[in-house]
Each structure stands twice: as structure tokens, then as C-alpha cells.
Amino acid sequence: MSIRPILIAPDPRLKAVSEPVARVDDEIKKLVDDMLESMYAAEGIGLAAIQVGVPRRVLVMDLAQKEGRREPQAFINPRILWASDETTLVQEGCLSVPDIWEDVERPSRIRAEFLDRDGTLQAIDAEELLATCLQHEMDHLNGILFIDHLSKLKRSIALRKVQKAKRLEKAS
Ligand code: NI
């Protein structure tokens, strides 16, 4: 396993629409393992393949990581089958938009299907943080960042903050 660098907005590659995975082979399993290691190293709870520059429909997630446990999950070719009309406002952040936290409104509950790391088709009913996180990560596969759900003004303020932090980091 190896840690891969995470792309930071406004990197144009983050806007790419990712391609479906035709077969869950060793290359995809290696990608999943590297993504998990990269996510843990960055102390994130979710990561999409495009965030490490790979335009494939692959996500990893571990919501237990905040409590110091490890329950890694992979979602390959995930697809939303149903979403509730009811929505919730949850504060989101993203490893590609460091140190920015903003409320985003999304359906409260979703049903999704995906292939797991073994290539087996699975279905999941998600609510609360899992539903939010899955929708956030699935957005990445379509080139959408959580700040794209904000007003134009809030989005440009967020991007300016990220760029300023990047410049300071380079200068130090
Ligand atoms: Ni993200």
C-alpha cells in the first residue's frame, strides 16, 4: 500500500466525470487499499478516486475512524436507487477543500447499490452521516465538490481561503 497525494481545489482534475469500473481486478483492489491508506493519513472519513487523480467510480469510507476504530468500506460504481424527499442540513468538509466547513442540504436517507472490494453487488440503506458522506463522495464521481452546493459568494470565499493557505504553505 502507498499514500497518494490528494488533489486540492480548484485543481481542474476534480471536475472530471469518473468512468465506471468494468472489473474489480487487482489494480482496482490496489487503488482501494492506497485510497484507504491516503484517507487515514489525512484523517478523513471518505475519499473518492478522483481526489488522488484517478477518474474511476471508486470511493472509500470509514466513519468509525473518528472514534479511533477502523471499519474500512469500499464502494465501487455506486448508484443511488432512491432518495428521501426529507432533507437535512449537515456541516461538511472535504480533503480537497482543506479547513473549510459549510452546511449542505441533502436528502436525509438514501438507498444505494455498489460493488464491494470483492466485486460483489451490495445494497445499502443509509441515513445520517453515512447518507451525507455517500452523497458527498458520489458527487466527486460527477466532478462536483460540496462547495458547488453553496451560493456563488460562499464558494468564491472558500476557494480564496484554500488558495491563500496553499500560497502560505509554499512560502514557508
Ligand atoms: Ni470530498
Side-chain angles (χ1 to χ4, degrees):
M1 285 200 280
S2 52
I3 293 173
R4 303 194 192 188
I6 293 171
L7 304 182
I8 304 296
D11 192 307
R13 285 171 288 179
L14 290 168
K15 293 273 166 208
V17 176
S18 295
E19 293 289 329
V21 170
R23 206 165 60 87
V24 181
D25 54 16
D26 287 347
E27 191 193 324
I28 293 295
K29 286 179 185 173
K30 165 97 169 76
L31 173 65
V32 164
D33 295 344
D34 284 359
M35 283 169 63
L36 280 166
E37 199 180 356
S38 309
M39 181 188 79
Y40 288 132
E43 293 178 4
I45 56 172
L47 191 71
I50 193 63
Q51 291 180 274
V52 291
V54 180
R56 309 300 297 277
R57 302 188 85 82
V58 177
L59 312 174
V60 295
M61 218 176 280
D62 190 339
L63 302 185
Q65 129 111 329
K66 290 253 183 250
E67 284 115 57
R69 286 178 293 123
R70 287 211 171 166
E71 289 168 19
Q73 277 185 294
F75 300 87
I76 299 162
N77 298 342
R79 201 161 68 87
I80 293 179
L81 301 173
W82 171 84
S84 65
D85 292 330
E86 188 199 343
T87 60
T88 40
L89 206 58
V90 179
Q91 195 177 58
E92 298 186 18
C94 180
L95 292 175
S96 293
V97 191
D99 300 322
I100 304 289
W101 302 89
E102 292 286 351
D103 284 344
V104 178
E105 187 178 12
R106 300 182 188 272
S108 314
R109 287 174 295 135
I110 59 163
R111 182 170 177 80
E113 67 173 18
F114 61 95
L115 302 174
D116 64 18
R117 192 184 173 281
D118 298 318
T120 306
L121 184 66
Q122 305 270 4
I124 190 171
D125 287 303
E127 57 179 11
E128 298 181 347
L129 185 59
L130 179 60
T132 295
C133 205
L134 266 173
Q135 291 174 82
H136 172 120
E137 300 307 334
M138 275 193 243
D139 267 358
H140 276 298
L141 304 181
N142 295 321
I144 298 166
L145 298 173
F146 82 101
I147 52 171
D148 294 327
H149 291 282
L150 307 176
S151 69
K152 235 180 169 174
L153 179 66
K154 274 194 175 173
R155 178 164 63 246
S156 65
I157 291 171
L159 281 172
R160 234 177 298 151
K161 274 190 199 161
V162 170
Q163 276 171 304
K164 198 176 162 193
K166 227 196 276 186
R167 271 199 306 272
L168 286 173
E169 205 172 291
K170 261 186 207 157
S172 65

